[in-house]
Amino acid sequence: LKFSPKFPILDRQMAYPIWRKKQIHFNPMTSNSEEQEVVEIGSPLKFDSNNPWKIKKTITPQLLNLVISHSETFDYILPYWNLDNAKQLVNGALKGVAMWDVINDTKCNEDAGFIFQRLNNKDDDYSLSVMGLFNTHRLGVGDEIGLYWHPRFQTFMFAILSKVCRKKMFLFGNLIETGPVQTIHTNNMMHMTKKITSQDIAFGELRISSLVMFDCILQYWNLELATSLVNGNVEHVGLWDATEQNYGRTNRYEDARFTFRKLSRDEYSLTCMTLINDRGLGVDDVIGLCWNPIVSKFIFKLISKVCRKKTFSNTPGVMTRDLIETTGPAIIFDLRNISYLGKFIAPQNIAQGTLEISSFQTSEYILPYWKLDKAKSLVNGNVELVGVWDVTAEKYGRTIRYEDVGFTFSKLDNLDYSLSCMALINDRGLGVGDEIWLCWNPIISKFIFKIISKVCRKKTFSNTPGVMTRDLIETTGPAIIFDLRNISYLGKFIAPQNIAQGTL
């Protein structure tokens, strides 16, 4: 179960100022002046948004303000400042700076008390006051933080890169820390998986054994908080639902209250009725849970849901047949292994703005993942409002959720079914022969749509005898299939004129 905060990135479509390194310049004509001259030097710089965390600091007992070396300041910060502000800083001005805490996704402006200034030491280092962030995140000795200056937003970006944690154990009735120090990053935390029980749902809580507690949770808590918990105090905790993280969405439950408490010597309880209801958790659903010490919150993820096939009852002597759930083996919908229904676009799909799904496909690939009352309503002829998420560009970090668009799913006279989605067809420019994938995701209770391939045609100039002008036309030869699973790229080496003219 991996989770990392979503860091802001540079918008590559926006125009940027020209960034250059700064250098203190000694001018013999002004050698008696106390003010130092700062000039820009060298060729334009490119900001490396793929590896921005150039300034990394480990917390020490004496650290009150971050000391940023002269070289770090001139290599990674001042190149992205305008020249006037850089001159003021170098000459001793206290600069209030904006700060973006990417852990909590909060931004403070220049008057929030974050001061950047030059130090009067032999190395000409600089200092950044961030004690407020240290207190907010309960940073301890050995924790590592990262920092960089974001040229687009003109702000410092702050993140915790790793936390130092130690296992906990009881010794003579007291909780102590033991064993070697562990450096915890976002991708090396222990996590637990759990099957939901009827007791969890009835009481609106997740019960966690003492063994799992000490292995997967308490080792990432600071000793004071862990001691309070095991001594029977109720602790208020934060929780982020990262189930939809792959679709670019995390529910942070900013206004919800979750509590964590000890039930007995062998069991603990995380109260989360809101989460259970929001996710529609059922018996035997599998969830993942861990405590992330970097964000100081529980990270939850629904991994799989238990679903059942639907069929019509066949009671002798009864004319009407109800839709019921079968008593056979359950169907497990697993986010790690989603099966899609494939379909090629036909002319009527474009003309009518609908996708037809056969009765068999609906019974096999959609209705098993619907709640029984909703499935009954659909097969009895009612039009059901449904959500659709377009994840075609998912690998590029974009999901179109269509929050304000009404899609409907309904039964046709021929007993097949129809998903009305004119907005989606138009937005994606679907054409005859294009291949799409579709599934119903019961974890988010929405249709998931993606284009797999598009039908395209070569272009050529017309060559009509006696006609001077030539139009660009599509050839009538075999179609060209653009398949997202097998993309061919055009490679190119950058030439001097590309850089000078800003063109390819």
Side-chain angles (χ1 to χ4, degrees):
L1 179 66
K2 295 182 180 180
F3 180 81
S4 58
K6 187 175 181 180
F7 298 153
I9 61 173
L10 291 175
D11 185 345
R12 294 170 176 83
Q13 295 180 344
M14 298 179 71
Y16 288 96
I18 299 298
W19 297 313
R20 285 188 169 87
K21 293 194 75 169
K22 310 294 189 295
Q23 179 177 282
I24 296 175
H25 176 67
F26 177 74
N27 187 344
M29 302 297 295
T30 59
S31 58
N32 294 327
S33 173
E34 293 185 1
E35 184 173 285
Q36 299 186 77
E37 286 193 37
V38 178
V39 296
E40 292 184 324
I41 60 170
S43 57
L45 298 176
K46 178 183 176 182
F47 179 76
D48 183 6
S49 59
N50 295 316
N51 182 28
W53 304 101
K54 305 292 188 185
I55 303 173
K56 300 176 182 179
K57 302 291 180 182
T58 300
I59 306 302
T60 64
Q62 297 81 22
L63 190 61
L64 296 177
N65 293 320
L66 284 181
V67 175
I68 302 174
S69 70
H70 182 276
S71 61
E72 288 172 330
T73 302
F74 276 80
D75 286 345
Y76 306 128
I77 300 173
L78 292 191
Y80 309 110
W81 282 34
N82 69 50
L83 190 57
D84 287 342
N85 283 339
K87 285 180 179 179
Q88 293 172 21
L89 178 72
V90 167
N91 284 291
L94 304 183
K95 303 296 292 185
V97 291
M99 181 68 67
W100 196 324
D101 177 358
V102 300
I103 300 299
N104 290 332
D105 194 23
T106 56
K107 183 179 179 182
C108 300
N109 59 26
E110 291 83 352
D111 58 5
F114 296 101
I115 303 299
F116 192 39
Q117 61 181 316
R118 180 182 171 187
L119 294 175
N120 291 319
N121 62 11
K122 62 182 178 63
D123 297 318
D124 277 339
D125 293 330
Y126 290 78
S127 168
L128 178 64
S129 58
V130 289
M131 186 53 68
L133 288 174
F134 288 5
N135 294 335
T136 297
H137 293 291
R138 297 184 177 182
L139 293 181
V141 174
D143 295 344
E144 184 182 31
I145 62 100
L147 200 72
Y148 72 92
W149 182 264
H150 198 303
R152 169 53 57 191
F153 300 124
Q154 288 294 292
T155 179
F156 274 110
M157 310 299 291
F158 172 91
I160 302 169
L161 303 181
S162 66
K163 292 272 292 180
V164 168
C165 303
R166 298 180 73 184
K167 284 199 166 189
K168 313 291 188 296
M169 65 172 289
F170 282 107
L171 181 66
F172 304 123
N174 294 318
L175 194 69
I176 64 168
E177 290 185 321
T178 184
V181 168
Q182 303 175 73
T183 300
I184 305 300
H185 305 272
T186 56
N187 60 356
N188 70 338
M189 291 173 291
M190 291 282 292
H191 71 276
M192 57 168 281
T193 56
K194 172 180 169 63
K195 275 191 176 182
I196 300 299
T197 66
S198 57
Q199 188 179 40
D200 294 328
I201 296 171
F203 290 98
E205 62 186 12
L206 300 178
R207 298 204 169 188
I208 302 169
S209 71
S210 180
L211 178 64
V212 171
M213 267 289 300
F214 277 82
D215 280 346
C216 300
I217 298 173
L218 281 194
Q219 65 171 315
Y220 305 124
W221 283 35
N222 68 49
L223 183 60
E224 179 184 358
L225 198 61
T227 301
S228 175
L229 177 71
V230 300
N231 286 339
N233 294 307
V234 176
E235 298 297 331
H236 293 280
V237 292
L239 184 146
W240 287 358
D241 179 359
T243 302
E244 299 167 22
Q245 184 185 359
N246 287 343
Y247 303 124
R249 184 176 182 177
T250 298
N251 188 345
R252 301 193 174 205
Y253 284 107
E254 305 287 3
D255 301 321
R257 292 176 63 85
F258 299 93
T259 58
F260 199 39
R261 61 194 174 97
K262 184 177 182 179
L263 295 177
S264 65
R265 180 179 178 181
D266 300 320
E267 201 168 37
Y268 292 77
S269 166
L270 173 64
T271 59
C272 52
M273 180 64 82
T274 303
L275 176 66
I276 290 172
N277 290 339
D278 287 351
R279 279 288 163 211
L281 295 185
V283 175
D284 289 337
D285 290 349
V286 176
I287 62 113
L289 193 70
C290 75
W291 180 265
N292 186 325
I294 291 177
V295 299
S296 297
K297 289 176 177 63
F298 278 107
I299 305 298
F300 166 94
K301 190 170 187 177
L302 178 52
I303 295 173
S304 66
K305 274 194 74 66
V306 172
C307 307
R308 292 193 176 274
K309 293 194 73 170
K310 312 295 188 295
T311 188
F312 285 102
S313 62
N314 193 11
T315 307
V318 178
M319 295 293 294
T320 58
R321 296 193 303 163
D322 282 336
L323 195 70
I324 61 172
E325 289 184 329
T326 62
T327 56
I331 299 173
I332 306 299
F333 182 91
D334 194 323
L335 268 177
R336 299 162 296 190
N337 186 25
I338 298 177
S339 296
Y340 287 91
L341 168 67
K343 180 175 176 61
F344 290 94
I345 300 299
Q348 63 266 27
N349 299 136
I350 299 170
Q352 299 169 9
T354 60
L355 297 176
E356 280 74 43
I357 303 172
S358 71
S359 177
F360 172 78
Q361 291 170 328
T362 303
S363 298
E364 289 292 317
Y365 299 109
I366 297 173
L367 289 190
Y369 307 113
W370 280 36
K371 292 185 180 296
L372 182 60
D373 57 348
K374 189 178 179 72
K376 281 184 178 181
S377 176
L378 176 71
V379 301
N380 287 334
N382 294 306
V383 176
E384 294 296 323
L385 291 173
V386 293
V388 176
W389 282 6
D390 178 359
V391 300
T392 302
E394 175 186 0
K395 66 181 291 186
Y396 305 117
R398 184 179 181 187
T399 297
I400 302 175
R401 299 191 179 90
Y402 287 105
E403 305 284 7
D404 302 320
V405 178
F407 297 93
T408 60
F409 195 46
S410 58
K411 189 175 183 180
L412 301 174
D413 293 338
N414 64 358
L415 303 185
D416 289 338
Y417 293 82
S418 171
L419 174 64
S420 66
C421 51
M422 180 64 82
L424 179 62
I425 289 173
N426 290 339
D427 288 350
R428 279 294 169 202
L430 293 183
V432 175
D434 293 347
E435 183 184 4
I436 61 109
W437 282 2
L438 195 70
C439 79
W440 180 265
N441 185 329
I443 289 178
I444 60 175
S445 297
K446 303 224 176 9
F447 277 108
I448 301 298
F449 165 96
K450 65 168 64 175
I451 301 176
I452 296 303
S453 66
K454 280 192 70 69
V455 173
C456 308
R457 291 191 179 277
K458 292 192 76 170
K459 312 297 187 291
T460 187
F461 285 104
S462 62
N463 192 11
T464 306
V467 178
M468 295 293 292
T469 59
R470 295 194 301 164
D471 286 336
L472 195 68
I473 60 173
E474 289 186 332
T475 62
T476 56
I480 300 172
I481 305 300
F482 180 90
D483 195 320
L484 273 174
R485 296 161 296 191
N486 186 24
I487 299 177
S488 296
Y489 287 91
L490 166 68
K492 179 173 172 61
F493 291 96
I494 300 300
Q497 63 267 28
N498 299 136
I499 298 172
Q501 298 168 9
T503 61
L504 296 178

